[in-house]
Amino acid sequence: MTWVAWRVQRLQFLVAAGVVVVVLLWLVASGLDGHAGWSQYWNSADVYVLYALPGLLGLALGASLIAFEVDRGTNRVAWTQSITRARWLGRKLLVGATVSAGLVAVLIPLLDWWTGAMRSGPGIVSNIVPKLFGITGFVAVGYVLFAFLLGVTLGTLIRRPGWAFAAGVPIFAGVRLLVDGLRSTLVSPAFAVSPAQPFSGPQPNGWVLNSAYLPIGRTTPAPGQTWASSWDRVGSCFDQAQSQAGVDRCAAVAHLHYVVEYQPESHFWMLQGVEAAIYVGLTLILAAVTVVAIRRWRA
């Protein structure tokens, strides 16, 4: 049954593998460029392609997994050969998910090398920053698995590969944007405190979330205040002071200190694990929906 599941969709698998090979060659060519460090960071098109790849790849393979079978009627043939629907679906999902995850996984070491120049450049201190987080580490495997099962589920419900793919793109993008927006809260952030701005000691190393002058003894805004409104405490200083030193003196008189809320570089793998777990959980939910939908089909 596993071999049959491979043969039915091998053309799509081979095309997807070809796309990944092209991306691999592109990464090598651009990574070997002597100006790769800055060109890769500031060229948003490069990063957008890499961000979109797991979703598009997973949706393309998933949307056709069940819908093509229904269109050809081969699912009915399988069910009349003493093969249960659960076994038929399980093998197809296993093969498709393994191929999808494997194609993305082979990119991970190369992406780590490709982004290395950016992480070592001035001002780019960690791959925990949003620009790099989604294309480094193992979280991309979670993206492609979710996209694959999303395509499978939509293909099962809509039964048209093209429409299933088209419907999956905005859904996947919406989920990515939602989880990306929640990322900063998935792990408790760290706080760095300094008497004045800029920091008199080592700068926070990681992804800066918020910063403001706050009352001494606090690392978060007072009740009724936000990080943005906390700047009002020294607003008059910015209007009157002729230098940052003047602002710092005003903050000292008001008994304020400068606080930065950030996700340190040491939280990178923890955030990767939590975010990947969210996508795996969504993947399992979609798998359950697909199983229920197929069991309700008429033979």
Side-chain angles (χ1 to χ4, degrees):
M1 186 60 196
T2 302
W3 174 244
V4 173
W6 161 262
R7 285 182 61 85
V8 168
Q9 210 178 3
R10 63 179 175 180
L11 178 59
Q12 291 93 331
F13 291 152
L14 292 175
V15 171
V19 171
V20 171
V21 169
V22 171
V23 173
L24 285 169
L25 295 175
W26 168 56
L27 288 173
V28 171
S30 61
L32 292 176
D33 184 351
H35 303 287
W38 285 111
S39 66
Q40 288 167 9
Y41 185 74
W42 293 111
N43 187 351
S44 296
D46 288 357
V47 179
Y48 288 158
V49 168
L50 295 172
Y51 259 84
L53 181 63
L56 295 178
L57 187 68
L59 283 171
L61 295 178
S64 62
L65 188 77
I66 304 299
F68 273 149
E69 292 264 14
V70 175
D71 187 52
R72 298 170 183 171
T74 53
N75 60 312
R76 292 186 174 89
V77 175
W79 297 345
T80 59
Q81 302 297 317
S82 301
I83 299 174
T84 64
R85 298 187 186 193
R87 182 185 175 193
W88 171 81
L89 178 62
R91 292 301 176 86
K92 292 182 71 64
L93 291 180
L94 176 62
V95 172
T98 300
V99 172
S100 301
L103 290 175
V104 171
V106 299
L107 291 171
I108 292 175
L110 190 59
L111 283 170
D112 184 68
W113 165 77
W114 188 77
T115 58
M118 290 185 279
R119 295 199 306 273
S120 62
I124 311 301
V125 296
S126 173
N127 53 8
I128 199 173
V129 297
K131 184 88 172 185
L132 305 180
F133 185 87
I135 60 174
T136 53
F138 55 79
V139 73
V141 175
Y143 299 158
V144 73
L145 288 175
F146 169 68
F148 173 73
L149 258 298
L150 178 61
V152 171
T153 303
L154 293 174
T156 301
L157 299 175
I158 300 174
R159 306 190 187 185
R160 294 291 186 273
W163 286 108
F165 179 86
V169 170
I171 295 174
F172 179 82
V175 173
R176 279 293 307 269
L177 289 174
L178 176 61
V179 177
D180 285 1
L182 295 174
R183 182 180 299 150
S184 62
T185 64
L186 298 179
V187 177
S188 298
F191 299 91
V193 178
S194 175
Q197 178 196 21
F199 266 65
S200 56
Q203 296 293 317
N205 184 18
W207 171 25
V208 175
L209 306 175
N210 295 291
S211 63
Y213 282 96
L214 301 177
I216 292 176
R218 297 193 62 89
T219 55
T220 56
Q225 296 285 319
T226 66
W227 286 95
S229 64
S230 294
W231 282 100
D232 295 340
R233 293 174 178 272
V234 291
S236 58
C237 291
F238 282 115
D239 296 334
Q240 301 173 12
Q242 299 298 314
S243 65
Q244 181 63 46
V247 175
D248 294 338
R249 285 193 296 271
C250 184
V253 171
H255 302 289
L256 303 176
H257 60 176
Y258 188 67
V259 180
V260 174
E261 179 188 39
Y262 71 109
Q263 288 288 356
E265 186 175 4
S266 59
H267 286 183
F268 175 75
W269 292 112
M270 190 182 304
L271 279 171
Q272 287 265 317
V274 174
E275 188 165 323
I278 291 174
Y279 282 100
V280 171
L282 293 173
T283 299
L284 295 176
I285 293 173
L286 290 172
V289 172
T290 304
V291 170
V292 172
I294 288 180
R295 284 184 174 178
R296 292 184 175 181
W297 278 4
R298 293 182 179 181

